[in-house]
């Protein structure tokens, strides 16, 4: 099968003409190495997953740089964080834009190393699994919203024709057995595996760390560490509450979501798209899907978005507040397929409090017809990706 073009490629190429380094991070198997090779086919590729190369970079960093001095893709660079200091010194002495393209999966260790050694010298880009817009362009998009939720977006599913039921259990097992062992703060892998499944059961819900810790049989500090591990490896993210209270008491805890709904479905023991249709978390899974696509839309343009939710203690809420660039764009996300004017109820109240014009208020639903109403835009789920 032909490689599926990635929207981020043009931004990656552009930034390579302005910085000596471009760092590409994201979940394991999201396609970072493939994208780097697609964008720079004439670059040499070195993977620090390769034990011989890792030993070379660790034991003789100057010799490594002498051998790989320019136009090089270095995969899994977080494996040898000390190498970055040597790379920084070398590029300062021999400035050249686009000298190195760095990729890495473990966000926390990679970003820490980059911040310490390459601050101001690298552009940082995030690559998540395929967006539906990318799949649509390749004629690989799902026929139904439930299928889309169930399949997720990991490239190998589509490149190799692997079923979600085969792919995700293996991905989860590899993640737990390999990546987690390399991170601090995880001692009992069995308990951690249960913890990850419990997180999936709380998808789309306001996070209660104490309740989660009790059910997982761990302390709250342990739950905190494990949540950090899951965030660092791009399994989950915590959507923060929007800061403006409008003189109301606000919910101050974040909402938990997964970077990929297919992975979340596997953790929930969902075995088919038909099961998604009748699952008690279908509404939250659809919310998760829509918010992921908005994240991907920004990341694929090289923009780190500012997204939040808003909820007060009386239960009034807005599912998503996008305030990237200073403009407020509130969203309500409804899993129903038939339009009901009540979909705009919360947006209307919040929009009036926040002085947001109706043109910036959007309801995304699972129906097929988009409408411009007097209350705001009703957006069919497919239109979000076109």
């Amino acid at each position: 099968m032909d490689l599926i073009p990635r929207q981020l490629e043009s931004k990656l190429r552009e930034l390579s003409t302005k910085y000596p380094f471009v760092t590409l991070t994201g979940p394991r198997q999201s396609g970072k190495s493939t994208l780097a090779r697609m964008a720079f086919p004439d670059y040499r590729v070195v993977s620090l997953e390769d034990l011989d190369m890792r030993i070379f970079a660790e034991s003789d960093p100057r010799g490594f740089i002498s051998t790989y001095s320019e136009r090089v893709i270095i995969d899994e660079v977080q494996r040898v964080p000390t190498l970055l200091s040597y790379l920084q010194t070398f590029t300062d002495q021999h400035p050249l834009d686009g000298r190195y393209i760095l990729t890495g999966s473990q966000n926390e260790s990679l970003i820490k190393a980059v911040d310490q050694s390459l601050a101001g010298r690298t552009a940082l880009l995030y690559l998540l699994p395929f967006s539906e817009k990318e799949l649509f362009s390749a004629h690989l998009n799902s026929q139904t919203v439930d299928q889309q939720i169930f399949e997720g977006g990991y490239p190998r599913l589509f490149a190799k024709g692997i079923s979600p039921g085969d792919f995700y259990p293996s991905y989860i097992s590899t993640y737990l057995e390999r990546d987690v062992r390399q991170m601090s703060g995880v001692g009992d892998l069995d308990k951690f595996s249960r913890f990850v499944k419990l997180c999936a059961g709380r998808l789309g819900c306001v996070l209660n760390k104490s309740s989660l810790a009790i059910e997982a049989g761990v302390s709250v500090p342990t739950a905190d560490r494990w949540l950090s591990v899951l965030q660092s490896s791009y399994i989950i993210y915590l959507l923060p509450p929007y800061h403006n209270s409008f003189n109301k008491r606000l919910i101050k805890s974040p909402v938990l979501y997964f970077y990929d709904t297919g992975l979340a479905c596997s953790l929930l023991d969902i075995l088919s798209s038909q099961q998604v249709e009748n699952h008690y978390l279908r509404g939250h899974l659809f919310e998760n899907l829509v918010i992921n696509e908005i994240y991907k839309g920004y990341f694929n343009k090289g923009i780190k978005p500012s997204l939040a939710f808003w909820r007060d203690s009386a239960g009034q809420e807005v599912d998503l507040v996008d305030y990237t660039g200073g403009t407020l764009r509130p969203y309500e996300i409804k899993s129903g397929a038939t339009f009901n004017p009540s979909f705009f109820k919360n947006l209307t109240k919040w929009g009036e409090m926040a002085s947001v014009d109706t043109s910036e208020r959007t309801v995304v639903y699972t129906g097929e017809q988009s409408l411009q109403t007097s209350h705001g835009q009703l957006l069919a789920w497919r239109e979000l990706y076109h």
Side-chain angles (χ1 to χ4, degrees):
M1 160 175 193
D2 293 337
L3 292 174
I4 299 172
R6 304 304 301 264
Q7 287 183 293
L8 188 58
E9 182 174 346
S10 60
K11 194 66 180 182
L12 177 59
R13 287 176 177 274
E14 175 195 336
L15 292 175
S16 72
T17 68
K18 300 177 180 179
Y19 291 87
F21 301 90
V22 181
T23 303
L24 186 59
T25 187
R28 182 173 289 282
Q29 295 188 35
S30 63
K32 299 178 296 298
S33 300
T34 301
L35 171 57
R37 288 170 169 84
M38 288 170 64
F40 306 99
D42 56 337
Y43 276 42
R44 289 182 292 171
V45 180
V46 181
S47 175
L48 297 184
E49 287 282 298
D50 183 304
L51 182 58
D52 290 336
M53 283 296 175
R54 189 155 72 243
I55 291 172
F56 184 20
E58 287 174 333
S59 62
D60 186 9
R62 291 187 176 87
F64 179 91
I65 293 170
S66 178
T67 304
Y68 301 103
S69 59
E70 62 177 280
R71 300 169 72 82
V72 181
I73 298 166
I74 305 179
D75 280 338
E76 301 298 343
V77 71
Q78 82 282 346
R79 292 287 197 161
V80 188
T82 54
L83 177 64
L84 295 181
S85 295
Y86 291 92
L87 290 171
Q88 173 246 305
T89 301
F90 174 71
T91 55
D92 284 354
Q93 294 171 349
H94 308 280
L96 176 67
D97 289 333
R99 188 180 286 277
Y100 292 104
I101 308 298
L102 311 177
T103 78
S105 301
Q106 294 177 20
N107 182 32
E108 188 174 23
S109 57
L110 177 62
I111 301 307
K112 183 178 179 181
V114 166
D115 284 346
Q116 289 176 347
S117 303
L118 302 183
R121 300 171 178 85
T122 185
L124 182 60
L125 296 174
Y126 299 84
L127 184 70
L128 297 180
F130 284 136
S131 69
E132 280 302 306
K133 189 169 185 176
E134 290 169 325
L135 292 172
F136 179 82
S137 298
H139 307 291
L140 290 169
N141 54 303
S142 306
Q143 296 303 306
T144 69
V145 68
D146 296 313
Q147 183 184 353
Q148 185 181 330
I149 289 169
F150 177 65
E151 287 179 342
Y154 277 91
R156 186 171 289 272
L157 284 163
F158 303 93
K160 302 293 184 181
I162 304 173
S163 71
D166 290 330
F167 174 79
Y168 286 108
S170 297
Y171 184 93
I172 293 164
S173 177
T174 300
Y175 165 71
L176 291 173
E177 293 173 3
R178 177 181 177 177
D179 291 354
V180 170
R181 287 185 186 279
Q182 297 167 9
M183 301 178 194
S184 59
V186 176
D188 189 327
L189 282 179
D190 289 336
K191 277 192 175 181
F192 183 75
S193 179
R194 172 175 166 75
F195 182 84
V196 178
K197 281 183 167 286
L198 289 171
C199 285
R202 286 163 169 75
L203 178 151
C205 299
V206 173
L207 180 61
N208 183 326
K209 291 181 183 178
S210 297
S211 171
L212 179 60
I214 289 170
E215 193 166 354
V218 299
S219 66
V220 172
T222 296
D224 255 329
R225 288 197 305 273
W226 288 1
L227 286 168
S228 293
V229 167
L230 291 172
Q231 291 176 84
S232 296
S233 48
Y234 294 98
I235 300 296
I236 68 166
Y237 59 92
L238 301 180
L239 189 69
Y242 184 63
H243 53 82
N244 196 325
S245 67
F246 307 111
N247 297 317
K248 293 178 178 287
R249 292 183 60 193
L250 295 187
I251 300 296
K252 296 182 179 179
S253 296
V255 174
L256 187 153
Y257 291 108
F258 277 68
Y259 275 108
D260 188 87
T261 56
L263 179 59
C265 284
S266 183
L267 289 164
L268 290 166
D269 297 320
I270 295 174
L271 302 178
S272 69
S273 58
Q274 289 73 28
Q275 278 186 269
V276 174
E277 184 178 358
N278 299 308
H279 200 274
Y280 74 98
L281 282 178
R282 182 178 185 265
H284 289 324
L285 285 164
F286 180 60
E287 266 179 39
N288 200 160
L289 177 78
V290 171
I291 296 171
N292 284 355
E293 292 301 313
I294 292 172
Y295 265 118
K296 290 171 186 178
Y298 278 117
F299 283 148
N300 289 342
K301 296 174 184 174
I303 299 170
K304 193 169 183 180
S306 299
L307 304 180
F309 77 100
W310 188 89
R311 189 175 304 175
D312 69 15
S313 57
Q316 294 185 80
E317 63 178 350
V318 173
D319 292 327
L320 182 69
V321 179
D322 179 355
Y323 58 102
T324 308
T327 299
L328 286 174
R329 301 178 190 86
Y331 292 80
E332 275 289 287
I333 304 167
K334 302 293 186 181
S335 60
T338 303
F339 171 57
N340 188 313
S342 66
F343 285 178
F344 282 96
K345 180 181 176 182
N346 287 344
L347 281 187
T348 299
K349 288 182 179 178
W350 193 87
E352 290 170 353
M353 284 191 299
S355 300
V356 174
D357 191 80
T358 54
S359 64
E360 301 292 350
R361 306 174 194 174
T362 302
V363 169
V364 183
Y365 78 133
T366 62
E368 299 293 335
Q369 186 175 11
S370 295
L371 299 169
Q372 189 61 54
T373 78
S374 60
H375 301 291
Q377 183 182 18
L378 178 71
L379 193 65
W381 66 282
R382 292 187 191 277
E383 296 297 320
L384 187 65
Y385 320 129
H386 297 178

